[in-house]
Amino acid sequence: MPDSRVPVVPGGSALDDLGVRLHDGGGTLRVWSGNASSMELVVFDATDLDWVTDQAALERRPGGVWEVTSALLQPGTRYAVRVGGPHGPGNTFNPETLLLDPYAKGLAQGHGYQEWRSVVIVDGFDWGNTSKPRIPLDRTVIYEGHLKGMTKRHPEVPPALHGTYAGLAHPAMIEHFHALGITSVELLPVHAFVPEPRLLERGLTNYWGYNTLNYFTPHAAYATEDARKRGPEAIIAEFKGMVKLLHEAGLEVILDVVYNHTSEEGIGGPRSSLRGIDNASYYRQDGNGVYIDTTGCGNTLDTSTDAGARLVLDSLRYWAEEMQIDGFRFDLATAIARDAAHTYNPEHPLLRAIAADPVLADTKLIAEPWDVGLGGWQTGNFPTGWHEWNDRYRDRVRNFWLSDIDYARRASAPVGIGGFATRLAGSSNTFSEERGPLASINFVTAHDGFTLHDLVSYDVKHNEANGENNRDGADTNRAFNHGVEGPTDDPAILAARRKAMRNLLGTVLLSAGIPMLTAGDEVGRTQRGNNNAYAQDSPLTWLGWELEPWQQDLRAHVTRLIRLRQENPALRPSRYARLGEHIPNASVMDWYDQNGETMEPGQWNDPGNRTLQYVAASTPDTEAANRILLIVHGTEAPIDVRLPLEIDGANRFVSLWSSADEHPSAHAEVFEPGDVLSVPGTSMRLFRVE
């Protein structure tokens, strides 16, 4: 009897080769629709997308696939499909509507908002000897950014390349990535997307791109003008050229992918593809055809059906293989792991199929482990092989360095250091021993929310520019403006804000887990308090490259911290340690108080105790053994800290980094066990133990 746990490709061989496959004399188009009663291929003039030049009927094949083989399907052919079917709850067929092939590799846009056509593509790109960098997980440092925003204002990137795929791979950007030390660039959505009509009516746009039109096509607007003029194949070639150059520079490319919903929104919204092909099978709905929306965007892709799950799997395989992408961050990932009863299932066949797929074997799989549906918050509950955005980490770190400090100014610190220490050490209370600390993507900011600068400069959001009367965006931010809301000339407040940013960055880059930085945080980029700038395609959201001295100092701290992380394996364990056992690639952790004595149980949660010394000793199997000591002090009053005397074999402590320094110190001070250090308020200090 077969093992029911063995992953099966959704739909099996019946759903193979969907989309267009070229062969001698033409091509074959295969489109799935389980409920359709007719389907027609419609071909258009190459320059006038309203001019129908030919048509051909598709025939139904086993498994619900409709197929036609025709000489009409040639490289560059512009085409659409028309689909007829029954009326009734869940069905929205209209045989007059022109629809995109869900598997189209190229798109062409006419003059209207919904005037899109699929394009037949021939792949002739030469990857040469380029291969994926395959950065080890423990050495991975993710840099999340917007493809356009990162290069739009870069003075060394030629204007013709600003905001483009080619611009991201320009030597000036590669130099920037290398100088910081990041290993993996995570791009906000680059699948073809469109702005919502409601935004266009307000004179805004969807800047972030979480409104997918097609899952197989790169967003055309991010290509250079020259590539756009030459057509879809040139756009794909520019995208691949970007990936190739980044790979040659040793940098990974991770894509933020939006498989939880599409741009068709709710019933009555745009009808461009899946809704017209088989609405009842592609979108979650009840027996009356009412959408079950767990995304907050109008629709939710139904991955409990073979067709919905296979669409996701095939898209991932295409981007990983044909586009050579190194990893994926799944937006609202809980939504794609809901079963036919709309309940999250960590054993969902799609999750198992993705993790078991040989094409995806070496890709990094990152879940945003929540959606807005019932039971949608699933942090820590994704299966082995997946990594997760750790919102518990984000919230605890923000609390410790910001909202707790704010509260302490009015009363006293509300909590001790225990919860913070658990996050620092790899969130073992969230992730299983089998998954280990590298299951956690550690972050304090992301594209969604305050920037790092704004997190320490505003208490509340300021989203008026979004046109929703400041109702949009998160209300709970765990932020702290340090005494003044927004801009100020007060030197004490500015100094406190800079140190707070250094503490937050230091925590992320010195914690066990995989660190993620938001592009621009390394130089204190501001969005003037807007914590939901999804509709702002302007200098507000583009990175600035003309830096003030304090911004250069902050960037120097980030560079130092990333280098120290790579040089000290004790900071990047792959496994959790076990008391009394030797676990390879773990870090054995010991905890001391401000007096250099072992932390007592009562000290962990005592609000009066917010100072600790954390010693981590690596157990690597390929690197030299290594030990670090990190002092964390979480109140604004300075404190004297005595270095531990009890560490076996420790003769000295070499200072590596301090968050109290405005600029990273070039001098490595050396201390002995038992020495007393004066530690400034709210600060961190890192040592190598020798």
Side-chain angles (χ1 to χ4, degrees):
M1 184 173 181
D3 183 355
S4 62
R5 292 177 57 86
V6 174
V8 176
V9 176
S13 60
L15 296 185
D16 287 350
D17 298 327
L18 294 179
V20 172
R21 296 293 185 274
L22 292 171
H23 46 74
D24 290 344
T28 298
L29 170 65
R30 286 166 53 83
V31 179
W32 183 88
S33 178
N35 290 304
S37 58
S38 66
M39 193 174 298
E40 183 180 42
L41 166 68
V42 183
V43 176
F44 300 88
D45 179 77
T47 58
D48 186 347
L49 297 184
D50 286 328
W51 181 8
V52 176
T53 60
D54 223 324
Q55 304 168 61
L58 281 74
E59 297 182 0
R60 189 182 180 99
R61 300 286 189 247
V65 172
W66 295 74
E67 181 178 301
V68 63
T69 297
S70 172
L72 297 173
L73 295 169
Q74 300 288 339
T77 296
R78 273 64 172 159
Y79 70 100
V81 293
R82 291 186 178 125
V83 184
H87 296 285
N91 292 319
T92 59
F93 293 107
N94 184 334
E96 300 302 315
T97 304
L98 295 166
L99 303 167
L100 290 175
D101 171 8
Y103 282 72
K105 306 302 191 297
L107 297 178
Q109 183 179 15
H111 300 294
Y113 169 75
Q114 292 181 256
E115 191 177 312
W116 293 89
R117 305 292 181 255
S118 304
V119 181
V120 179
I121 295 297
V122 175
D123 180 18
F125 188 80
D126 182 8
W127 289 97
N129 296 321
T130 306
S131 60
K132 295 183 179 182
R134 293 185 169 86
I135 306 296
L137 289 169
D138 69 305
R139 290 187 174 273
T140 299
V141 179
I142 297 172
Y143 188 76
E144 186 213 32
H146 191 283
L147 185 134
K148 178 178 181 179
M150 282 191 280
T151 65
K152 180 63 178 175
R153 296 197 291 175
H154 198 299
E156 296 177 29
V157 174
L161 304 186
H162 281 171
T164 68
Y165 300 121
L168 190 71
H170 187 273
M173 291 302 300
I174 290 175
E175 180 183 359
H176 170 66
F177 299 142
H178 281 168
L180 278 181
I182 61 100
T183 67
S184 311
V185 182
E186 181 178 307
L187 300 176
L188 268 63
V190 296
H191 289 172
F193 66 87
V194 291
E196 295 87 338
R198 63 179 176 82
L199 290 178
L200 295 176
E201 291 170 1
R202 298 206 304 266
L204 299 171
T205 189
N206 189 318
Y207 174 64
W208 285 351
Y210 293 88
N211 202 44
T212 309
L213 178 69
N214 177 272
Y215 289 127
F216 290 82
T217 309
H219 191 57
Y222 293 158
T224 57
E225 182 179 2
D226 176 66
R228 295 198 305 271
K229 286 180 178 178
R230 288 186 288 121
E233 287 184 355
I235 293 170
I236 293 172
E238 184 177 321
F239 183 94
K240 291 180 175 181
M242 172 194 73
V243 175
K244 181 178 180 180
L245 288 172
L246 291 172
H247 281 177
E248 289 174 349
L251 295 162
E252 291 183 321
V253 181
I254 297 172
L255 299 187
D256 195 332
V257 288
V258 191
Y259 293 118
N260 56 78
H261 77 281
T262 75
S263 61
E264 291 186 304
E265 301 184 11
I267 293 292
R271 180 199 304 261
S272 56
S273 186
L274 301 180
R275 178 172 293 137
I277 291 173
D278 198 325
N279 180 68
S281 300
Y282 275 117
Y283 293 122
R284 293 188 179 275
Q285 50 201 286
D286 64 19
N288 296 316
V290 176
Y291 277 8
I292 297 173
D293 178 13
T294 70
T295 69
C297 300
N299 66 63
T300 303
L301 189 69
D302 191 351
T303 53
S304 71
T305 68
D306 284 343
R310 186 61 174 270
L311 177 65
V312 174
L313 183 63
D314 287 347
S315 172
L316 291 169
R317 289 170 57 91
Y318 174 75
W319 288 92
E321 189 168 35
E322 296 298 326
M323 301 297 214
Q324 289 290 292
I325 293 302
D326 302 282
F328 303 92
R329 178 267 186 187
F330 293 75
D331 181 65
L332 300 181
T334 299
I336 71 167
R338 290 182 178 270
D339 58 22
H342 316 298
T343 301
Y344 172 76
N345 178 10
E347 291 295 318
H348 194 288
L350 176 58
L351 295 188
R352 290 166 50 200
I354 291 170
D357 192 284
V359 172
L360 303 174
D362 294 324
T363 60
K364 292 177 167 69
L365 304 174
I366 301 170
E368 182 183 38
W370 53 79
D371 66 12
V372 301
L374 186 66
W377 186 65
Q378 294 294 333
T379 305
N381 294 329
F382 273 71
T384 299
W386 287 77
H387 315 277
E388 301 175 38
W389 273 25
N390 190 347
D391 58 314
R392 292 179 177 180
Y393 176 98
R394 175 200 63 200
D395 294 348
R396 176 63 71 176
V397 173
R398 287 187 180 189
N399 281 347
F400 185 81
W401 291 120
L402 299 177
S403 55
D404 286 0
I405 305 302
D406 180 22
Y407 189 90
R409 286 190 178 184
R410 298 188 298 273
S412 60
V415 298
I417 203 167
F420 176 86
T422 300
R423 298 300 164 194
L424 185 71
S427 296
S428 60
N429 61 344
T430 300
F431 300 101
S432 67
E433 183 175 326
E434 180 184 21
R435 297 180 67 192
L438 295 178
S440 178
I441 302 295
N442 295 334
F443 70 107
V444 290
T445 66
H447 68 276
D448 186 2
F450 278 139
T451 66
L452 181 71
H453 173 279
D454 292 356
L455 195 62
V456 304
S457 305
Y458 295 89
D459 279 352
V460 296
K461 65 187 181 183
H462 297 268
N463 297 354
E464 290 80 6
N466 297 346
E468 299 180 41
N469 296 315
N470 208 35
R471 292 191 301 268
D472 63 304
D475 291 316
T476 303
N477 296 283
R478 297 173 168 84
F480 178 34
N481 66 20
H482 291 84
V484 173
E485 185 73 356
T488 180
D489 294 327
D490 187 312
I493 292 176
L494 292 174
R497 289 175 176 178
R498 292 194 297 270
K499 186 168 60 171
M501 286 190 279
R502 295 192 293 268
N503 285 329
L504 292 164
L505 289 167
T507 303
V508 169
L509 291 167
L510 300 178
S511 293
I514 298 175
M516 185 186 82
L517 302 175
T518 304
D521 276 356
E522 74 276 12
V523 293
R525 182 180 72 87
T526 181
Q527 289 178 172
R528 300 198 294 273
N530 191 323
N531 76 349
N532 188 37
Y534 76 103
Q536 303 297 323
D537 185 359
S538 71
L540 181 73
T541 51
W542 304 336
L543 269 64
W545 296 91
E546 296 180 2
L547 306 180
E548 297 179 18
W550 72 267
Q551 293 177 295
Q552 295 173 355
D553 288 340
L554 187 62
R555 184 172 61 184
H557 275 281
V558 173
T559 300
R560 170 75 64 87
L561 286 162
I562 293 175
R563 178 173 60 79
L564 291 172
R565 181 180 185 84
Q566 301 294 20
E567 291 174 350
N568 292 275
L571 292 168
R572 41 183 175 82
S574 301
R575 297 184 175 96
Y576 295 125
R578 242 184 269 137
L579 186 64
E581 295 185 43
H582 177 81
I583 306 295
N585 299 312
S587 286
V588 178
M589 300 167 186
D590 295 298
W591 306 87
Y592 303 90
D593 63 17
Q594 70 192 60
N595 299 312
E597 299 174 354
T598 299
M599 289 276 284
E600 298 293 335
Q603 292 179 289
W604 289 105
N605 298 314
D606 179 3
N609 178 54
R610 287 173 59 88
T611 306
L612 63 73
Q613 301 184 74
Y614 160 53
V615 176
S618 70
T619 57
D621 55 7
T622 60
E623 300 179 79
N626 165 246
R627 281 189 293 183
I628 60 92
L629 180 145
L630 179 65
I631 297 175
V632 177
H633 176 49
T635 63
E636 291 194 291
I639 194 170
D640 287 339
V641 172
R642 183 181 300 276
L643 296 174
L645 285 165
E646 303 175 5
I647 304 174
D648 290 342
N651 297 312
R652 63 179 196 162
F653 301 92
V654 180
S655 180
L656 302 176
W657 175 78
S658 171
S659 69
D661 296 335
E662 286 286 353
H663 186 86
S665 174
H667 176 59
E669 293 183 273
V670 178
F671 301 90
E672 295 182 358
D675 282 354
V676 175
L677 282 63
S678 178
V679 177
T682 54
S683 66
M684 307 172 73
R685 191 159 184 180
L686 179 70
F687 302 84
R688 185 173 61 250
V689 182
E690 296 181 349

